[in-house]
Amino acid sequence: PTTPLSSRETDRLFALIRQLRADGLAIIYISHRMSEIYDLSDRVSVLRDGTYVGTLERAALSAESLVQMMVGRDLSGFYTKEHAAYDPGRVVLAARHIGDGKRVRDCSFDVHAGEVLGIAGLVGAGRTELARMVFGADPRSSGEIHIDGLPVDVRTPLDAIRAGLVYLTEDRKAQGLFLDMSVRDNINVCACSLDAHPGGLLDRARGKARAAAAIASLGIRVGDARRNVGALSGGNQQKVLLSRLLEIKPRVLILDEPTRGVDIGAKSEIYRIINELARSGVAIVVISSELPEIVGTADRVLVMREGELVAELGGHSSEPIEQATIIEYATGARQTLLAAA
């Protein structure tokens, strides 16, 4: 229930839940977010693949036992950055002075080959708006974009895709997937031109083979690729959407809330995919509201506040990537502390 809520709204919801529990109401709370389970639950029951696995009392609850019950295996090294220490390659994406004068103001940044760049900030800070302007999904009044050193006039998503820049939306159901179409068609929708014969007929065998390869590569759990994507779990839907983007062979991949609304097993698989793409040289941007995810996956982090980039952590910066530091910059506390000093 907290996916679309801000931190303040979540706190209010939790206070209401605790009050209802104190009044004697029985509550069933369903969440993929481990911290919420720990904070609210007296008992935790786990389902995996539609089957009841077991129940733990709050006193016996631990992260290790709960994770193993949820995914059926140990997830040690959950956020391991397998793509090696920070040693950036060439600049693939250079964004300069991006803005619309309102939601986003004068934002400039680079992303290197093989780098995972995190963008953090509070809800409403402008992270998604910045990404959508770079991708051409939202209009901007200023700014330049360079891909591999060459200027690119990105005014529409098609311009971005042709330049090798793709964007995974934060809302897969409303803005990403065709829910009433099959898994196969959702994977192939951006690659249809590759399957077209003269006269406009599609080579369906090629599309079928492509979808089968993507399903195997990304571990998409679906018995039949002709099944509607809307019937899949959130994690499998996200991997279908990601597989569609990867068929474009992008040079830059922007992931906006890549693990929102997916279970912990799917999160682990998505992190594996991010690592593999980084090792292959793709320049990756990860936007996330989950600070452990940002800290655990990014080589370098930019912090946004009120439409502006206000800090850079990690990489060659003198400041390490830490949750407390991100929060201080995102809320303005770090600038206040520096001013007081």
Side-chain angles (χ1 to χ4, degrees):
T2 61
T3 297
L5 303 183
S6 67
S7 296
R8 180 175 298 178
E9 291 167 335
T10 298
D11 290 342
R12 292 176 62 187
L13 173 64
F14 287 0
L16 177 60
I17 289 173
R18 292 187 178 101
Q19 182 59 54
L20 292 172
R21 178 174 60 184
D23 292 341
L25 187 68
I27 299 172
I28 298 175
Y29 189 88
I30 302 171
S31 178
H32 294 311
R33 297 184 173 179
M34 304 286 279
S35 60
E36 297 177 4
I37 296 296
Y38 294 138
D39 287 346
L40 296 174
S41 301
D42 299 301
R43 290 184 298 133
V44 178
S45 294
V46 176
L47 298 176
R48 185 174 70 245
D49 296 332
T51 302
Y52 171 74
V53 176
T55 297
L56 294 174
E57 297 292 333
R58 180 66 182 85
L61 193 62
S62 69
E64 293 78 12
S65 60
L66 187 57
V67 166
Q68 289 190 27
M69 290 174 68
M70 292 174 69
V71 301
R73 64 185 188 277
D74 181 22
L75 285 182
S76 57
F78 190 48
Y79 290 115
T80 301
K81 298 174 185 175
E82 299 172 355
H83 50 282
Y86 187 68
D87 184 19
R90 72 189 189 285
V91 173
V92 180
L93 169 65
R96 294 291 179 268
H97 309 295
I98 304 297
D100 64 353
K102 298 177 182 178
R103 300 169 299 168
V104 176
R105 296 186 298 278
D106 196 27
C107 290
S108 299
F109 63 93
D110 294 335
V111 193
H112 301 80
E115 177 183 37
V116 179
L117 174 69
I119 300 182
L122 302 179
V123 173
R127 299 165 301 164
T128 292
E129 290 81 358
L130 173 60
R132 288 176 59 86
M133 287 179 194
V134 171
F135 182 59
D138 286 346
R140 67 179 195 274
S141 59
S142 65
E144 298 178 353
I145 296 171
H146 292 72
I147 302 289
D148 283 329
L150 299 176
V152 180
D153 186 19
V154 176
R155 296 296 173 180
T156 68
L158 183 58
D159 294 334
I161 291 170
R162 285 173 172 167
L165 189 161
V166 298
Y167 169 70
L168 184 139
T169 174
E170 64 175 342
D171 190 342
R172 58 180 171 270
K173 291 186 177 181
Q175 300 174 355
L177 295 169
F178 299 98
L179 295 175
D180 58 350
M181 290 172 56
S182 70
V183 170
R184 181 185 299 163
D185 288 343
N186 268 276
I187 292 173
N188 285 319
V189 70
C190 287
C192 287
S193 61
L194 302 176
D195 301 336
H197 290 299
L201 295 177
L202 294 178
D203 185 340
R204 294 193 176 277
R206 184 182 297 176
K208 182 178 180 180
R210 180 187 299 108
I215 288 169
S217 175
L218 273 68
I220 300 169
R221 295 185 180 181
V222 59
D224 188 337
R226 294 171 296 181
R227 187 180 184 188
N228 275 12
V229 73
L232 302 188
S233 68
N236 284 300
Q237 287 181 351
Q238 194 76 328
K239 287 187 283 185
V240 169
L241 183 55
L242 182 56
S243 70
R244 178 202 298 171
L245 301 182
L246 297 184
E247 292 301 328
I248 300 171
K249 311 299 182 189
R251 287 181 278 180
V252 182
L253 176 61
I254 302 176
L255 304 173
D256 196 351
E257 303 289 357
T259 64
R260 173 176 286 175
V262 308
D263 64 50
I264 195 167
K267 283 188 177 185
S268 176
E269 293 170 354
I270 290 171
Y271 298 147
R272 173 187 63 80
I273 294 166
I274 291 173
N275 274 317
E276 290 179 354
L277 291 170
R279 285 202 305 271
S280 72
V282 177
I284 301 173
V285 178
V286 173
I287 300 169
S288 179
S289 299
E290 297 191 27
L291 290 184
E293 182 167 273
I294 286 287
V295 173
T297 60
D299 300 300
R300 189 163 53 95
V301 174
L302 303 178
V303 184
M304 285 196 76
R305 181 167 61 87
E306 297 179 356
E308 298 178 348
L309 293 172
V310 296
E312 177 180 340
L313 310 177
H316 296 311
S317 167
S318 60
E319 293 194 85
I321 302 172
E322 296 177 347
Q323 292 190 47
T325 307
I326 292 173
I327 292 172
E328 287 175 357
Y329 277 117
T331 60
R334 173 57 67 97
Q335 285 86 338
T336 302
L337 291 173
L338 292 175

